[in-house]
Amino acid sequence: MTAADAAAESDAEARSILERAAAASFPPLHAVHHLLSVGVCVRCIFRMFGAFSHACSCASLTVSVLHSFLEEHDDSAKDGSCSCLSMDEACCSICFGILLPTCHQDEGVAPFEAISRIDIITSMVSQAIQREGYQIGEFSTEISVPAVVAANERAIRLYMKGKYGSENWFKDEIFTQQTMSVKEALRLLIVPSLEKQLGVKHSNNSFRIRLTYTHDDASLKLKSLLPNDSNRKRKAESREGNDTRRNSTYDDKQILTETDTFIHKSLEGIQDQEFCTLFKLPPEKVLKPCQLVISFLRSPIYIGGRYLKLSRNVSQSCWIIDDERMGEASVEEIIKENVCAISRGDGYKFHAAGREDIDVRMLGSGRPFLIEVLNVRSIPTAIEIQQISDKINSSEKKYVRVRNLKLVDNEIWAMMREGESEKQKQYAALIWTSNPLTDDDLQKISVVKDMEIVQNTPVRVLHRRSPLERKRIIHWMEIEKVEGSSNYYLLHLCTQAGTYIKEFVHGDLGRTNPSIGSMLRCRAEILQLDVTDVKMDLLQ
């Protein structure tokens, strides 16, 4: 099929829609004339009269087609006296050109070669996806329009009510009912074109195409007409005066975001009578279209597993004090670097089931963790996940190892948080006591079962944690002498999550009670500590 044939078929579809509407006396032609004369586009006219997909999704339903139809079917238009027939396809007074389906064609270009605005947008979307390197199987759409669109639509409805409120067609409430929104109409127009251009289906998918329309001038002007705006201005000026760190670009975006939110909330609280006193009816014709920003967002993905930390000079997360790095590396950075190299996300968040100090090794089956990767360009395959694991585990610097690395859903994150306070942890600690321990002392430690202790926030973390009293359970302990020494012992213990093990050994100046030192009536110090197991039924 040639371009001319396709255009003819599309025009026939548009005329068929108009013929069906005229046969049903819907919408009234004189009302259509009036809406055109105040700058309402053909698509918004059909929206406001309750027409849905059969009209709003037809890209060839343009003002020129409607003009031609009116000339054929309405006597008032045949002599060319109707001012609306000489109008250009300018921006709509309601949608600000968002639903305008066709760009102005250049002089000398045949009608069937006119450029579709929808095709231009879908081409821009496709090019941006390729440029950003996104891999997609399906997509969903998010559309944002300025709040002034809702205000102008309400103004048009109230204006038409004042002019035609006594006529039967208006009394049927077809025109006054809430009908298809601009966002819904645009989605009907653009989704088929996007599916064709991208070669994938539209669905409720994690990959979202965002079309954000803004009209700064109209939004700010409307904001100034709403009540209580002067108070908001004074507050904004005061806020800006007290915060010199904010830059002008951030301020402008923040103000415009607040503007749309404020307009929506304010319009909801204004009755029709007050609305008519505040705003011009009908609204002024629009000369400048909305601006469009295309962006993409994929829901976070989660890669989880268990990590082992084999060094006593590696922190869990990057630790910097006074611009000086503590430790040689961090678990978070090592895992993140390898994950992000394949998934190509905009950012990441590291989540773990608890944490160990920098000088504590994490051994045994490892600690459950998740890497939350934001807005990834590519979702890693099982093979790529294994490559990430192999690369971490084969590193010459044997700082960190991972186990059972895999792609998981976000429910694991909630389960990890819920189970964190319930899990048990096992430790192995090398301790020193000021007195050699007797067999009775060793027995006293080994018979402990589910002993409750009380711990006040340790002195070493008081600068960053609230002073609280915490009750914790020591489930069991075993202790053995270090061969060849009378003051060194290896303590094995299983505790409730959140127990401060170092403080349980030395007592923290009496802030932990009982402690190993108080139980043995001697001074006790911890020299080395390893986590040997984190008992959670996650990421095994």
Side-chain angles (χ1 to χ4, degrees):
M1 181 184 292
T2 66
D5 291 337
E9 182 177 317
S10 185
D11 284 347
E13 179 187 0
R15 292 190 65 82
S16 175
I17 290 171
L18 295 172
E19 293 285 358
R20 293 200 304 271
S25 299
F26 168 74
L29 296 184
H30 64 287
V32 172
H33 277 298
H34 206 98
L35 286 169
L36 286 172
S37 69
V38 297
V40 181
C41 73
V42 60
R43 208 160 308 282
C44 282
I45 290 173
F46 271 80
R47 278 193 318 105
M48 297 180 76
F49 279 103
F52 291 94
S53 58
H54 66 285
C56 292
S57 61
C58 179
S60 60
L61 187 58
T62 62
V63 172
S64 59
V65 172
L66 180 57
H67 284 172
S68 176
F69 180 83
L70 289 174
E71 288 177 336
E72 295 174 11
H73 291 78
D74 188 35
D75 292 337
S76 64
K78 289 180 179 178
D79 59 2
S81 60
C82 181
S83 61
C84 72
L85 297 182
S86 61
M87 289 177 54
D88 294 328
E89 288 195 37
C91 295
C92 173
S93 297
I94 295 178
C95 72
F96 290 78
I98 293 173
L99 298 181
L100 190 65
T102 308
C103 291
H104 291 294
Q105 60 195 58
D106 293 331
E107 186 176 352
V109 178
F112 58 84
E113 294 177 335
I115 302 172
S116 166
R117 187 181 299 272
I118 298 301
D119 288 343
I120 290 175
I121 294 174
T122 54
S123 178
M124 291 167 60
V125 169
S126 177
Q127 291 172 17
I129 288 174
Q130 293 178 17
R131 186 169 59 250
E132 291 284 334
Y134 283 102
Q135 295 179 7
I136 62 173
E138 293 179 330
F139 71 95
S140 60
T141 53
E142 290 183 1
I143 298 171
S144 174
V145 301
V148 69
V149 168
N152 277 20
E153 181 162 335
R154 185 175 178 184
I156 290 290
R157 290 182 186 276
L158 291 174
Y159 171 72
M160 295 295 283
K161 181 179 180 180
K163 193 165 187 67
Y164 299 108
S166 61
E167 296 189 15
N168 290 332
W169 67 268
F170 199 93
K171 290 179 179 179
D172 290 338
E173 296 187 350
I174 293 174
F175 190 83
T176 57
Q177 290 177 347
Q178 185 65 37
T179 54
M180 179 183 290
S181 68
V182 169
K183 290 196 287 188
E184 291 172 310
L186 179 59
R187 189 173 281 110
L188 282 172
L189 273 170
I190 203 167
V191 164
S193 182
L194 283 171
E195 288 181 329
K196 182 178 179 181
Q197 180 78 31
L198 301 177
V200 294
K201 290 293 185 181
H202 180 270
S203 68
N204 293 324
N205 192 265
S206 65
F207 178 76
R208 303 191 292 279
I209 299 172
R210 287 180 170 178
L211 304 178
T212 304
Y213 289 88
T214 59
H215 201 294
D216 299 350
D217 293 343
S219 295
L220 291 174
K221 182 177 180 180
L222 177 59
K223 175 176 173 282
S224 67
L225 298 174
L226 292 170
N228 299 324
D229 189 55
S230 58
N231 293 334
R232 288 176 53 84
K233 283 181 179 177
R234 284 195 294 270
K235 289 179 182 178
E237 290 170 358
S238 173
R239 187 167 61 245
E240 290 170 7
N242 292 332
D243 191 354
T244 57
R245 295 171 298 176
R246 295 173 63 182
N247 60 60
S248 59
T249 301
Y250 174 82
D251 287 345
D252 291 344
K253 291 180 179 179
Q254 181 78 1
I255 289 171
L256 290 171
T257 301
E258 291 178 355
T259 295
D260 272 3
T261 302
F262 169 66
I263 290 174
H264 277 301
K265 289 182 178 179
S266 297
L267 289 174
E268 290 174 0
I270 297 176
Q271 299 298 316
D272 287 349
Q273 185 175 358
E274 182 184 2
F275 187 95
C276 293
T277 64
L278 291 172
F279 302 105
K280 182 177 179 181
L281 305 182
E284 294 179 354
K285 291 182 181 179
V286 179
L287 301 178
K288 178 182 174 184
C290 280
Q291 291 183 313
L292 171 62
V293 174
I294 299 171
S295 58
F296 311 102
L297 183 66
R298 177 174 265 132
S299 298
I301 65 167
Y302 296 85
I303 297 174
R306 287 183 173 239
Y307 75 79
L308 288 80
K309 182 164 79 73
L310 309 180
S311 169
R312 298 194 189 278
N313 197 26
V314 170
S315 56
Q316 186 185 79
S317 55
C318 184
W319 187 17
I320 297 176
I321 300 178
D322 296 330
D323 296 327
E324 183 178 350
R325 184 187 185 97
M326 301 291 107
E328 298 179 56
S330 73
V331 175
E332 175 183 353
E333 291 171 299
I334 291 171
I335 297 176
K336 178 270 301 184
E337 177 182 349
N338 289 278
V339 168
C340 291
I342 287 182
S343 59
R344 295 177 293 132
D346 284 346
Y348 72 94
K349 296 178 183 178
F350 183 83
H351 310 284
R355 62 189 303 120
E356 65 283 327
D357 291 339
I358 189 171
D359 59 347
V360 176
R361 294 186 301 178
M362 178 66 239
L363 306 177
S365 61
R367 185 184 298 278
F369 75 91
L370 294 176
I371 285 278
E372 178 183 356
V373 193
L374 310 177
N375 199 23
V376 299
R377 274 37 175 195
S378 173
I379 298 178
T381 64
I383 294 175
E384 289 173 325
I385 295 288
Q386 186 59 49
Q387 290 173 351
I388 295 171
S389 181
D390 292 343
K391 189 172 182 180
I392 294 173
N393 293 340
S394 62
S395 171
E396 291 183 3
K397 295 181 178 179
K398 302 182 184 300
Y399 292 152
V400 174
R401 295 291 181 264
V402 293
R403 298 178 58 250
N404 301 331
L405 203 65
K406 55 189 172 183
L407 199 65
V408 296
D409 58 37
N410 58 4
E411 292 180 1
I412 295 290
W413 162 242
M415 292 169 62
M416 192 163 70
R417 292 289 77 143
E418 291 172 3
E420 196 170 75
S421 60
E422 303 299 326
K423 70 179 183 291
Q424 296 180 10
K425 296 167 70 175
Q426 291 181 202
Y427 300 87
L430 177 64
I431 68 171
W432 171 88
T433 59
S434 57
N435 299 326
L437 302 184
T438 65
D439 289 341
D440 288 343
D441 292 330
L442 298 180
Q443 179 67 14
K444 184 184 296 185
I445 296 298
S446 297
V447 297
V448 167
K449 299 293 180 185
D450 295 328
M451 178 179 72
E452 184 178 89
I453 66 172
V454 177
Q455 293 192 305
N456 286 286
T457 303
V459 171
R460 64 186 171 95
V461 297
L462 268 175
H463 65 287
R464 56 187 172 88
R465 295 198 176 171
S466 302
L468 299 173
E469 182 181 276
R470 300 170 177 84
K471 293 182 179 180
R472 294 291 185 263
I473 301 297
I474 308 298
H475 294 291
W476 55 260
M477 290 190 289
E478 294 176 357
I479 190 168
E480 56 183 295
K481 291 181 180 180
V482 174
E483 191 173 340
S485 173
S486 60
N487 294 78
Y488 293 90
Y489 301 87
L490 191 60
L491 175 67
H492 300 272
L493 67 165
C494 177
T495 75
Q496 179 184 354
T499 304
Y500 291 104
I501 304 302
K502 294 177 180 178
E503 283 68 25
F504 172 62
V505 172
H506 59 65
D508 197 28
L509 304 175
R511 297 174 67 83
T512 291
N513 188 48
S515 64
I516 295 293
S518 67
M519 292 171 68
L520 299 176
R521 296 184 179 180
C522 67
R523 181 182 165 198
E525 296 292 346
I526 188 165
L527 305 179
Q528 288 185 342
L529 179 64
D530 292 330
V531 184
T532 56
D533 196 12
V534 177
K535 293 186 175 295
M536 287 183 75
D537 295 330
L538 287 176
L539 303 166
Q540 294 284 5

